[in-house]
Amino acid sequence: MEEIRRSNTKKQIILIILCCLAYGFAYVGRYSYNSNISNIINDFGVSQASTGLIGTFFFFSYGVGQILNAFFCKYYPKRFVIAGALLISSIINCIMFFLPATPEAFEAIKFLWLCNGICQSVLWPTLILTLSETIEKRLLKYGILAMSVSVAIGTFLAYGGSAIFSLPSIHFYRGTYLLAICLMMTLGVIWFCSYNTLTAQKPMIDEVQVPVKEEKKKSGVSGIPAVLAGLVAVCAVFAVADNLIKDGFQTWAPRILEKTFDLNISKSLAFTLVLPVFGFFGSACALWANKLIKGFRPLTGVFYLLTSLCIGGIALIFHYGGTGTFMLIISLVLMGLIASLTHGINNILLSIMPLTLRSKVNAGLLTGILNGFCYLGSTISTYGIGKIADHYDWNTVIVVLLWVSVGVTVLAGITTLIHAFKNKKNPQTESVE
């Protein structure tokens, strides 16, 4: 019996690692474009808004796909779907690699990235559902941490690869597409070959199967239990704002640094690596903070409050025209902290909450819906921020992001107080939400 338990534990750990790498490598396949925005502006001779529109096409299709896949992921043959999505995204990146730098070709990119968003949208809810159905409670914290750092891993690889390929001595930014192809195809093959073995002996998952079925009577059409409806609605707003800020800084930070501090493309990309590195710590910090702050609303509110303070610091630096080395370092640290905090919020909404509440709601459904709202924020950030920068300046962009963060901080505080007041006579409700 003990030998079987050790075997199952080993399989679950390997599956957690594969799920983490599958999503992390897929991130390289989606950020292979975003990480090269400055290069693409120069290569194709287009505006910031036009390049941002490509990301908007991806995030729109990805966000809509997330919500649809949230409802249908439980029916998918996971072995084929995950491997297939990675393969298709690899093919799209291959087409991007050979695409000529012409206006006509640039127009085609948005449709390629639209397709990339559709195929990649199956990954997150399906991977989270796989973990929720497979791993035991004692390994749950490792699954949460692994999936939360997958975003930072993928972002670091994409921007790190782009920084290397953009060096003056190399000057081959399209190499980022080759990196994405190699990583996704390799992981796709490994997933396809090992999935059946890793999930062949499913252990008895504590408090998962039966309670979910019992909740269906109270779930309505959406599949979200009535007791969680208010929480999900508020967290949907948190999700939109989080990705608007997170992807806003991640996508446009190289351009901001390039224009504000007069850096070349390779240096601005290299400095941008601060963001995903800090993201690693933010994901772990969210897992630790979840033990101290009970309730997802107040926990997220604290992270947004700190995010607002950091954005406010950058706004002051940009407003007073600080462009020296010291101000560059301070700006990078503040951007890193913003990345850390927004990755933490992402972890709370998309990993901690769905897997913690897996006995009450389908984890794939919940994380897919919230991730769909996250990418609504990403959709707004890529084109919207580029448009604001074209018509105004980067100072204005920072101020807009500051107001978004402050607004959501206030929302978190108000809804926490309302929820605490309504449930004063039923303190157990807070442990649920």
Side-chain angles (χ1 to χ4, degrees):
M1 191 69 178
E2 185 62 28
E3 186 177 343
I4 294 176
R5 182 179 177 84
R6 283 199 300 268
S7 176
N8 284 345
T9 298
K10 182 179 179 181
K11 288 179 180 179
Q12 291 172 58
I13 291 173
I14 294 173
L15 184 64
I16 289 171
I17 294 171
L18 283 184
C19 287
C20 171
L21 294 179
Y23 197 69
F25 290 173
Y27 240 76
V28 183
R30 75 178 65 171
Y31 273 2
S32 54
Y33 172 86
N34 286 28
S35 62
N36 283 301
I37 276 189
S38 286
N39 285 310
I40 289 169
I41 289 173
N42 297 334
D43 197 19
F44 286 84
V46 291
S47 68
Q48 294 171 138
S50 297
T51 53
L53 184 61
I54 307 297
T56 295
F57 268 67
F58 174 89
F59 292 133
F60 173 77
S61 63
Y62 187 92
V64 172
Q66 279 287 293
I67 295 174
L68 293 176
N69 287 303
F71 290 96
F72 296 109
C73 62
K74 61 182 177 181
Y75 303 112
Y76 295 162
K78 300 178 182 67
R79 180 190 182 197
F80 295 94
V81 167
I82 299 299
L86 293 172
L87 174 62
I88 294 172
S89 186
S90 298
I91 294 172
I92 293 172
N93 272 268
C94 185
I95 296 172
M96 290 286 289
F97 176 78
F98 289 106
L99 211 63
T102 64
E104 295 77 18
F106 183 80
E107 288 300 312
I109 293 178
K110 57 175 172 280
F111 299 107
L112 286 171
W113 237 231
L114 182 78
C115 295
N116 198 19
I118 292 171
C119 81
Q120 285 212 12
S121 67
V122 308
L123 292 171
W124 183 261
T126 308
L127 291 169
I128 291 294
L129 182 60
T130 299
L131 292 178
S132 72
E133 293 176 340
T134 309
I135 61 175
E136 299 174 34
K137 186 175 183 178
R138 61 195 176 89
L139 297 175
L140 194 61
K141 61 182 179 181
Y142 300 111
I144 292 173
L145 183 60
M147 293 309 293
S148 63
V149 301
S150 63
V151 174
I153 290 172
T155 305
F156 183 85
L157 288 173
Y159 280 84
S162 180
I164 293 172
F165 290 122
S166 297
L167 288 170
S169 58
I170 299 176
H171 195 57
F172 183 59
Y173 77 89
R174 291 176 185 248
T176 313
Y177 299 126
L178 293 180
L179 175 64
I181 293 166
C182 293
L183 292 175
M184 288 191 291
M185 291 194 73
T186 301
L187 202 285
V189 171
I190 294 173
W191 177 275
F192 185 81
C193 295
S194 62
Y195 177 80
N196 286 344
T197 301
L198 296 176
T199 58
Q201 293 180 327
K202 292 184 179 179
M204 292 296 293
I205 306 294
D206 41 84
E207 51 186 44
V208 175
Q209 302 298 334
V210 176
V212 171
K213 292 181 180 179
E214 290 176 351
E215 288 286 358
K216 286 184 178 179
K217 295 179 181 179
K218 302 178 183 179
S219 296
V221 178
S222 69
I224 301 294
V227 71
L228 297 177
L231 175 66
V232 174
V234 172
C235 285
V237 179
F238 293 162
V240 173
D242 181 53
N243 266 38
L244 195 159
I245 297 169
K246 178 172 72 69
D247 282 336
F249 273 102
Q250 186 63 64
T251 300
W252 293 106
R255 192 69 176 174
I256 293 173
L257 295 175
E258 181 186 348
K259 294 299 181 183
T260 305
F261 296 98
D262 196 26
L263 301 175
N264 63 41
I265 294 176
S266 181
K267 283 185 179 179
S268 64
L269 284 167
F271 284 134
T272 304
L273 291 177
V274 168
L275 277 60
V277 168
F278 272 77
F280 283 106
F281 298 103
S283 299
C285 183
L287 197 57
W288 170 78
N290 186 45
K291 299 177 182 179
L292 301 178
I293 303 175
K294 302 301 179 184
F296 299 111
R297 295 180 183 88
L299 177 60
T300 308
V302 169
F303 273 70
Y304 267 118
L305 174 61
L306 296 174
T307 301
S308 300
L309 293 175
C310 292
I311 299 176
I314 294 176
L316 288 175
I317 291 173
F318 283 16
H319 178 73
Y320 289 104
T323 58
T325 303
F326 179 73
M327 288 302 177
L328 170 62
I329 294 172
I330 297 298
S331 297
L332 286 172
V333 171
L334 289 174
M335 286 184 183
L337 290 173
I338 292 167
S340 179
L341 292 163
T342 52
H343 273 83
I345 295 169
N346 204 259
N347 188 21
I348 294 166
L349 299 177
L350 303 184
S351 297
I352 296 175
M353 195 168 99
L355 289 174
T356 300
L357 300 177
R358 64 180 182 165
S359 64
K360 304 179 183 302
V361 63
N362 180 308
L365 172 66
L366 180 56
T367 194
I369 290 174
L370 290 178
N371 207 15
F373 280 98
C374 278
Y375 279 90
L376 173 58
S378 300
T379 300
I380 297 169
S381 73
T382 48
Y383 178 74
I385 289 178
K387 197 73 173 177
I388 293 171
D390 281 339
H391 284 76
Y392 299 97
D393 52 31
W394 290 110
N395 295 8
T396 306
V397 169
I398 300 301
V399 171
V400 169
L401 294 177
L402 174 61
W403 280 111
V404 170
S405 185
V406 170
V408 179
T409 303
V410 172
L411 174 64
I414 292 173
T415 55
T416 296
L417 292 174
I418 292 174
H419 179 71
F421 178 77
K422 289 176 63 176
N423 295 282
K424 189 175 182 180
K425 297 182 179 179
N426 186 12
Q428 291 184 343
T429 303
E430 183 59 33
S431 64
V432 172
E433 301 190 29

